[in-house]
Amino acid sequence: MSASKKRPTLDDLDLSLGKRTRLHRILYEYGNKNGTALLLPIDQGLEHGPVDFFANPASIDPDYQLRLAEEGGYSGIVFHIGLAQKYMKKYAGKVPLILKLNGKTAIPSDKYAFSPQTASVEDAVRLGADAVGYTLYVGSPAQGEDFIQFMQVREEAERYGMPVIVWSYPRGEAIEAKGGQNSLYAVDYAARVANELGADLVKLNMPEFDEKKMEQCPKPYNTLKLSPEEAVRKVVESAGKTMVLISGGSKISDEDLIEKARICMEAGVAGLIFGRNMWQRKHDDALQITARIKEMMMDYSA
C-alpha cells in the first residue's frame, strides 16, 4: 500500500550533499529503512520539567530512552546538548542523534514565547548528529527575534550540510484569539511558515477541531469541517517540499495511538515523532507499541 497523498522524497528536494547524506541515514539506514522516520524525542525534561517522568520513573534516566531507541530500531533520538554529551557515547553509531539547538522551561507564560539558542550546528557536527532541531513559535510577540535567530541557525546548517527540523508551534495571545494553537488555521499556518523559512523537515501537532473556537478562526477556516485525515493532508500540502513529522503529544491509549499514526501516514507525512507515548510506558510495553507502529509504517514506503 502507498499513501494516497504523495510525500516528498529525497529525490524531490534540492539538498546539499551533506544534508542528503545525513537524511538518507535517518530515512533509509535506520528505523524502517523505507523512506519514513520514527523519532524518539526526549527534550521534555527541559521543556516540561521532571513532571513527565512520574508516569514511568525509570524514564528519568536518559539511558532508558536510548535503550528503547536502539532495541526498538528508531530512526533517531532527540536530545539537548547536555544529555547528548553525557549519555550518547555508548550508543554512538547505533542511534542517530538529532541535537536540539534551542529550548526553554515551562515556568514563564507562553504569552511571549521564545526559545533562546542553547547549542550550535558546530556542536551537532562535533557530536556526530544527523540533524538539528529548532523550536519556532509562530505568532508569538517574539516572532521577529525568533525569525532572526532561526535565520542564523539555517545559514550555519547550510554551511555544515546539516538538515534542520523545525518544531513549528503556534503560540501567544494572537493565536489564542484566532482559534487556538491546535486549530487547523494555526497548524496550517505553522506548516507554511516552516516551508517559507527554509526548514528541511517540520514537526507539527495534529490539528484539532473545537466547535466553540472555530468561529474565531479567520475565513475560510471558520467553516472548514474536515476529517482528521483531510486536516493532516491539508497541512502536508501547505508544507510543500518540507517533510512533515507529526507529534504524538500527551500519552493516549495503544489503539488511539496506532489510529493516529495510521491517519497521519495515510495523509502523506514523512514520519512520526512520538516521545511520551513511547517512553512513559514500561520498557516491554514501549517495545511492543513501537513494533506495531513500525509494522504499520512499512505500508508507506517512499
Side-chain angles (χ1 to χ4, degrees):
M1 184 192 303
S2 60
S4 52
K5 168 67 179 177
K6 183 182 182 297
R7 64 182 58 82
T9 67
L10 283 182
D11 290 339
D12 298 321
L13 307 182
D14 183 17
L15 298 172
S16 67
L17 181 58
K19 285 190 175 189
R20 188 175 298 276
T21 299
R22 289 181 170 96
L23 276 181
H24 190 277
R25 285 202 286 261
I26 291 172
L27 295 170
Y28 293 102
E29 298 175 36
Y30 290 87
N32 275 341
K33 305 178 183 180
N34 71 334
T36 64
L38 179 61
L39 302 178
L40 188 69
I42 178 60
D43 56 340
Q44 292 88 347
L46 175 63
E47 300 291 341
H48 304 162
V51 65
D52 281 350
F53 306 121
F54 281 81
N56 177 19
S59 67
I60 199 168
D61 181 356
D63 193 71
Y64 181 88
Q65 286 88 357
L66 279 163
R67 286 191 296 110
L68 174 59
E70 182 183 19
E71 294 174 25
Y74 280 75
S75 308
I77 195 165
V78 181
F79 274 151
H80 282 288
I81 188 165
L83 300 189
Q85 290 180 153
K86 295 170 184 175
Y87 295 92
M88 280 295 299
K89 182 178 180 180
K90 186 168 66 172
Y91 298 89
K94 301 175 183 177
V95 177
L97 169 66
I98 291 87
L99 184 67
K100 196 75 185 295
L101 298 189
N102 66 334
K104 68 172 186 62
T105 71
I107 299 168
S109 167
D110 267 353
K111 289 182 180 179
Y112 197 84
F114 177 72
S115 284
Q117 193 170 344
T118 57
S120 67
V121 177
E122 186 175 350
D123 287 323
V125 174
R126 174 175 56 84
L127 292 168
D130 283 316
V132 295
Y134 183 95
T135 295
L136 183 74
Y137 288 123
V138 177
S140 167
Q143 179 179 269
E145 185 180 354
D146 216 349
F147 280 10
I148 292 171
Q149 181 176 256
F150 176 69
M151 177 187 68
Q152 295 165 347
V153 166
R154 177 182 52 76
E155 289 176 345
E156 189 182 10
E158 198 62 42
R159 286 198 303 274
Y160 283 105
M162 183 67 67
V164 180
I165 305 173
V166 170
W167 276 234
S168 198
Y169 285 169
R171 289 291 188 275
E173 291 180 328
I175 285 290
E176 292 308 312
K178 294 183 177 181
Q181 65 188 39
N182 290 323
S183 67
L184 176 59
Y185 163 75
V187 177
D188 203 30
Y189 208 148
R192 180 70 189 205
V193 168
N195 195 31
E196 295 269 356
L197 295 186
D200 299 304
L201 299 93
V202 59
K203 177 181 186 278
L204 300 166
N205 287 319
M206 192 169 177
E208 297 176 2
F209 289 90
D210 185 332
E211 292 285 350
K212 296 179 181 178
K213 292 183 177 181
M214 268 192 69
E215 61 185 24
Q216 299 174 332
C217 293
K219 296 178 180 179
Y221 293 91
N222 60 339
T223 59
L224 284 180
K225 294 187 178 180
L226 306 180
S227 69
E229 184 179 323
E230 289 170 335
V232 178
R233 193 186 305 273
K234 178 71 178 72
V235 302
V236 168
E237 182 180 30
S238 292
K241 289 190 176 183
T242 300
M243 294 181 173
V244 173
L245 304 171
I246 294 293
S247 169
S250 301
K251 186 182 175 185
I252 55 180
S253 72
D254 288 10
E255 297 310 316
D256 286 345
L257 187 64
I258 293 290
E259 179 62 8
K260 179 177 185 177
R262 185 200 64 76
I263 287 170
C264 293
M265 296 307 301
E266 185 67 24
V269 307
L272 308 167
I273 180 163
F274 287 177
R276 286 169 288 173
N277 271 289
M278 313 311 248
W279 50 257
Q280 281 187 342
R281 288 170 164 81
K282 300 297 183 184
H283 187 69
D284 288 347
D285 294 338
L287 286 175
Q288 184 179 55
I289 192 69
T290 298
R292 290 183 64 189
I293 288 175
K294 287 180 66 182
E295 181 180 9
M296 179 274 296
M297 291 176 73
M298 286 303 296
D299 289 337
Y300 298 93
S301 298

